[in-house]
Amino acid sequence: MEKQKFHIEYPTDLERKNQILSIVSAGLTKPKSFLSYLLEMYQQLGFRYLFRDATEILFTTCLALAVMLYGIFSLKSSLDMQDLYSFIFTLSPIFFFALSSLFLVRALMKDTFSVEMTCKYHVFQLAAFRMLIFSLLTMLMNIALIIVLSFLFQSIQILDALLLSCSSLSLFSVLYLYALHHAKGPFATYLMMASWLLVNVLPATLNQNMYSMFLSHVPTYVYGVVLIISIVLYVKTLKKLIAFRGAEGVL
C-alpha cells in the first residue's frame, strides 16, 4: 500500500515575525500611563488610606486660610500695588509646602520607613499622589484669595496675578520635588522652603520697589511659558518619584 504523503506549509519569515511579536505583546505587561496608575492606586487604597490624616489636613487648611486672610486684611492699608505682586509670588507655594511636608517628613522619620518602602505602594508613591492633589487644592485656594484681593485692591490685574501665583506654585513644586528626589535626609524639604523665602525676601528687603516692579512688569506670556514648562517638569518629576526606590531606605 502506497504511503500517503503530507504536505506541510511552513510559515514565511514575515508570518513568523508577526507571530513572535503577537506572543511577546500578549505576554508582556503594558506600561500604564501616569493618570491610569494614580487612578488604580486610588481604587486599590481608597481615600481613607491615602488621606488617613484628613483631620490634620483640614485643620492645616483652615489655619493657613485664616492666617492668609488675616494678613491680607491687616496689611491692606500698608501694602501698595507693587508690594502686592511680590507678596503673591513669595507666599503662593506656602500652603502646598505645609500640606506636602505634613505627611512626608513624618513618614521619613518613622522607624517603619524601611518596611513601608517594600510595600506595593511605598512612601514616595503615596507622597506623589498626595502632592498632585495638594497642588490642585493650593491652586484653587490661591485663586480664591486673589479674588478676595481684587475686591480690596481695585487696580489689581486679576489675570496677571493668577498667572504670577500659578507660576510661583508650579516653579516651587518642581524645585521641591527635585530637592526631595536628590537631597539626603528628611529636612531637605525645610531647607528648600527656607531657600525659597530667602531668594524672594532678600531682594525685596534690599530694594522692595525694584523687585516688585520687576515682577509686575514681566510680560504675561513669560509667566505663561514658565507655567507650562513647570507643569511639564512637575509631572515628569512626579513620575520619577513614583518609580523611585531608595536602596538605602532613606532619601
Side-chain angles (χ1 to χ4, degrees):
M1 184 176 180
E2 189 176 341
K3 293 184 178 180
Q4 186 176 1
K5 295 182 179 180
F6 294 95
H7 176 68
I8 301 175
E9 293 186 0
Y10 291 96
T12 63
D13 291 341
L14 180 60
E15 289 175 336
R16 284 198 297 267
K17 184 177 180 180
N18 291 334
Q19 288 297 322
I20 291 172
L21 290 176
S22 64
I23 293 172
V24 171
S25 61
L28 292 178
T29 303
K30 294 182 180 180
K32 300 174 184 176
S33 65
F34 178 65
L35 292 179
S36 62
Y37 184 88
L38 294 180
L39 179 61
E40 181 183 297
M41 185 189 303
Y42 175 78
Q43 291 173 342
Q44 293 190 8
L45 298 179
F47 180 88
R48 188 173 183 179
Y49 182 77
L50 286 169
F51 299 96
R52 57 182 181 269
D53 53 348
T55 303
E56 297 180 20
I57 294 173
L58 181 61
F59 175 77
T60 304
T61 303
C62 295
L63 181 62
L65 185 60
V67 170
M68 288 184 179
L69 288 175
Y70 175 78
I72 290 172
F73 284 100
S74 62
L75 295 175
K76 180 179 180 297
S77 58
S78 59
L79 276 177
D80 56 28
M81 281 304 304
Q82 300 296 333
D83 297 337
L84 188 60
Y85 285 101
S86 62
F87 178 82
I88 292 174
F89 187 82
T90 304
L91 298 183
S92 289
I94 296 293
F95 182 60
F96 168 80
F97 169 77
L99 289 181
S100 299
S101 300
L102 184 69
F103 161 80
L104 191 55
V105 173
R106 181 186 300 172
L108 292 174
M109 298 186 68
K110 287 171 62 176
D111 295 334
T112 57
F113 172 70
S114 298
V115 177
E116 293 181 14
M117 282 298 293
T118 63
C119 298
K120 180 179 180 180
Y121 296 114
H122 55 70
V123 171
F124 300 125
Q125 290 172 332
L126 298 178
F129 183 94
R130 290 164 61 99
M131 285 180 190
L132 181 62
I133 301 300
F134 291 154
S135 61
L136 297 176
L137 180 61
T138 304
M139 192 172 293
L140 293 176
M141 184 174 174
N142 289 343
I143 291 173
L145 289 173
I146 289 174
I147 292 175
V148 172
L149 286 173
S150 67
F151 288 105
L152 298 177
F153 299 88
Q154 300 295 331
S155 57
I156 188 175
Q157 299 293 327
I158 297 182
L159 179 60
D160 292 343
L162 288 175
L163 283 175
L164 182 66
S165 175
C166 293
S167 300
S168 171
L169 173 61
S170 57
L171 183 60
F172 175 85
S173 302
V174 172
L175 295 175
Y176 181 87
L177 286 177
Y178 183 84
L180 184 65
H181 188 69
H182 292 86
K184 298 282 186 179
F187 296 103
T189 56
Y190 293 119
L191 181 60
M192 179 64 227
M193 187 73 246
S195 301
W196 173 266
L197 293 176
L198 182 63
V199 168
N200 286 279
V201 172
L202 186 59
T205 303
L206 295 176
N207 195 326
Q208 175 68 38
N209 292 330
M210 182 177 293
Y211 184 63
S212 299
M213 286 182 63
F214 169 76
L215 291 175
S216 60
H217 286 80
V218 172
T220 303
Y221 72 87
V222 174
Y223 285 123
V225 171
V226 171
L227 178 60
I228 294 173
I229 294 176
S230 299
I231 291 176
V232 172
L233 292 177
Y234 181 62
V235 173
K236 287 185 177 180
T237 315
L238 272 181
K239 290 180 180 179
K240 291 181 181 179
L241 188 63
I242 285 178
F244 175 75
R245 285 186 179 272
E248 300 175 359
V250 295
L251 274 178

